[in-house]
Amino acid sequence: MTVTPADELTCREVVELVTAYLDDALPSDERGRVDAHLAGCEPCMEYLRQMRLTIGALGRLPEESISSDALSELRKAFRSSKP
Amino acid sequence: MSFIRNPPHGLDGANTSGVVMLRLALVHHPSRAVAEEIVQDTWLAVIQGIDRFEGRASFKTWLFRILVNRAHTRAEREARDLTTQAISALPPGQRQVITLRDVEGWPSEHVCNVLEISETNQRVLLHRARSRVRAAAEHYFEGELS
C-alpha cells in the first residue's frame, strides 16, 4: 500500500491515538498509518516509549500508594455495578 | 588494613573516578544535584562497608555497583512518589480508570462495565490520565532503557 501525503498523520494526531494504539483498538488501516509515522518520527517513538514506561511504572506501584479516597470511590462504583 | 597500603587494581586517580561516577549516577538519576549526593553517599557507604569487599571483583566494579544501585533505587522511589501524587491530583473519572487499568491491571471491558462508561469514554479518560502521569515523571523516563 502506498501512503499518500493525505494519509499521513501529524505528530499531534499520533499522540492522540497512542492509547488506542497500545490497546490494539485501532482499525488496521489506521494502525498502519500510526506505524508508518512512528517508523520515521523519533520524537513520537520516544513519546510511545515513555508511555510504555509510565504504564510499567504504574503496574509496579504498591497497593498502599492508592489513596483511600480513590479506593472508596472504586468500591462504591463496584458495588453499584453489581446486579 | 592491607587495602589502604596496597590499593586494589582500579583505584588510581580519585578525580577520574569522581567524574566517571557522576556521569554514571546521571544515567540513572536525572538531577545533577542528586547525582552528586549519590556519589558522596557511595563513598561513605564504601568506607563503612569496606570490610565486605571481598576482592572477587575489582574495587572499581564493586564501587560502581554500589553507586548504580543507589542511583537506581532513589530514582525509582522518586518516580513512584511523583506518579502517586499525579494520580491523586487527577479528576475522579480519570483517577478511577487509570487505577483500575494500569495499577490493578484490569482489561478495558471490565473497567467499562464497573464504571458504566463506553469504551470510547474509558479510553479518553485513560489517555488524559496517562498523559498527565507521564508528564509528571517525564525526567525519570528520559534516560531509562525500555
Side-chain angles (χ1 to χ4, degrees), chain A residues 15-16 18-19 47 50-51 54-55 58 61, chain B residues 82-103 111 115 120-137 141:
Chain A
V15 163
E16 282 308 310
V18 83
T19 304
Y47 183 82
Q50 289 194 13
M51 271 300 197
T54 303
I55 297 161
L58 286 163
L61 282 185
Chain B
L82 283 174
T83 305
T84 311
Q85 274 171 30
I87 291 176
S88 55
L90 292 171
Q94 291 180 34
R95 189 165 64 219
Q96 288 176 345
V97 171
I98 201 170
T99 302
L100 292 177
R101 283 293 309 273
D102 291 343
V103 182
V111 178
L115 300 181
T120 309
N121 193 5
Q122 187 253 176
R123 192 161 300 120
V124 169
L125 292 169
L126 181 63
H127 185 75
R128 290 186 187 150
R130 278 181 183 168
S131 304
R132 291 197 193 181
V133 173
R134 184 205 66 88
F141 296 137

Side-chain angles (χ1 to χ4, degrees), chain A residues 29-68:
Chain A
D29 59 330
E30 205 163 17
R31 187 181 174 87
R33 288 156 78 204
V34 173
D35 283 331
H37 181 98
L38 288 170
C41 184
E42 195 59 44
C44 283
M45 281 284 255
E46 173 61 17
Y47 183 82
L48 181 69
R49 193 185 70 88
Q50 289 194 13
M51 271 300 197
R52 285 209 169 103
L53 289 172
T54 303
I55 297 161
L58 286 163
R60 290 192 304 273
L61 282 185
E63 191 140 309
E64 64 269 21
S65 66
I66 305 164
S67 79
S68 52

Side-chain angles (χ1 to χ4, degrees), chain B residues 9-10 53 56-67:
Chain B
H9 170 74
F53 176 60
R56 275 201 288 257
S58 83
F59 177 75
K60 219 174 207 170
T61 305
W62 184 64
L63 178 72
F64 287 170
R65 197 178 306 139
I66 293 173
L67 176 82

